[in-house]
Amino acid sequence: MILLQLSAGQGPIECCQAVGLALNMIAKQSIEKDIRLDVVEAIVATERDCYKSVLLQLDSTPEHSAKQLALSWQGAMLWVSQSQYRPKHKRKNWFFSGQVYDIDESQLDNSVTFQTCRASGAGGQHVNTTDSAVRATHLATGISVRVESERSQHANKRLARAMLMQKVEANQMATMTQQDKARWQQHWQVERGDPVKTFKGAKFRLSHDRGEKGGAN
């Protein structure tokens, strides 16, 4: 299972806008490369088409096509553009990041339990009167997620598996030692100085792409 998380971190709305623009570009690249792209989770910001973070699942046959695309978006990235929300703002450099999770699904099935339940969100009469929602729980950590965004129980189960594994991986990072966290923070600062991708202007044109080379490995 290949997951890609794009995040604006603690950045302002312009960084969230960059995540939205990156999502559009990845969607186009996926179509061109015959890769199935699913938005597993999207945390929206205050403005339209702006996201604090998005979690994507990429699938292809063979799998390396999806993995190569995901890896090309891993690391710190920079969008250089005048802010459309704050036109007089002097800052023009907006950073966001990508993180790839390559999950062994054979181990996943033995460590996760699924429970179906009635959906409670929007979706019409059908979705609200059937047990289409799915709760997935990771047995070792107790972490659980609930998904009811799709009408199909099968689709919700697939998204729940992906979302749960990302949260388990993120939890492992959160429990790193202080020394490991300091090392990671230093690495992030270095990457900000040499982003894997750089985009310029309101049209989000790619001007530098070190990530494409890295994704080919």
Side-chain angles (χ1 to χ4, degrees):
M1 180 187 296
I2 305 299
L3 301 177
L4 171 63
Q5 184 176 44
L6 300 177
S7 174
Q10 300 300 315
I13 189 63
E14 293 83 1
C15 298
C16 299
Q17 183 183 13
V19 170
L21 292 169
L23 174 59
N24 291 338
M25 182 173 288
I26 293 171
K28 292 178 181 177
Q29 292 177 336
S30 297
I31 293 174
E32 293 171 357
K33 298 177 182 292
D34 196 25
I35 294 172
R36 175 175 176 171
L37 178 69
D38 288 309
V39 178
V40 177
E41 182 181 39
I43 300 177
V44 298
T46 54
E47 300 290 342
R48 182 179 178 182
D49 298 326
C50 298
Y51 301 91
K52 294 180 180 179
S53 73
V54 292
L55 179 63
L56 310 174
Q57 182 176 356
L58 296 88
D59 293 298
S60 65
T61 304
E63 186 181 82
H64 71 76
S65 297
K67 185 174 182 179
Q68 180 176 335
L69 176 59
L71 287 174
S72 73
W73 287 85
Q74 179 162 266
M77 290 169 279
L78 169 64
W79 179 34
V80 182
S81 178
Q82 184 71 50
S83 170
Q84 75 175 64
Y85 301 106
R86 298 177 290 174
K88 296 182 180 180
H89 200 284
K90 294 182 179 180
R91 178 178 170 183
K92 293 184 179 181
N93 290 347
W94 315 106
F95 284 93
F96 64 104
S97 66
Q99 176 65 49
V100 175
Y101 301 91
D102 186 359
I103 297 166
D104 185 348
E105 294 188 68
S106 63
Q107 296 182 6
L108 168 65
D109 292 333
N110 295 326
S111 61
V112 176
T113 60
F114 297 94
Q115 179 183 4
T116 58
C117 45
R118 181 161 296 180
S120 59
Q125 183 178 3
H126 174 75
V127 74
N128 288 325
T129 57
T130 60
D131 292 338
S132 58
V134 173
R135 179 178 296 279
T137 303
H138 186 247
L139 297 175
T141 61
I143 297 173
S144 67
V145 299
R146 175 188 168 99
V147 177
E148 56 179 60
S149 57
E150 304 295 326
R151 294 172 65 93
S152 161
Q153 183 185 117
H154 176 74
N156 282 330
K157 183 176 181 180
R158 178 171 50 81
L159 294 180
R161 291 169 81 246
M163 188 186 301
L164 180 64
M165 284 303 97
Q166 185 275 331
K167 292 187 181 302
V168 170
E169 292 282 340
N171 180 67
Q172 291 177 349
M173 291 185 65
T175 58
M176 291 189 301
T177 66
Q178 288 298 321
Q179 183 178 4
D180 287 338
K181 288 181 180 179
R183 187 181 301 114
W184 182 87
Q185 182 65 27
Q186 183 181 28
H187 177 69
W188 167 246
Q189 294 296 337
V190 170
E191 283 198 330
R192 279 173 63 101
D194 185 20
V196 295
K197 291 181 187 292
T198 301
F199 306 89
K200 291 188 177 180
K203 293 186 177 181
F204 204 66
R205 296 187 184 279
L206 183 63
S207 64
H208 166 72
D209 191 359
R210 183 164 56 86
E212 187 66 32
K213 180 179 179 182
N217 292 334

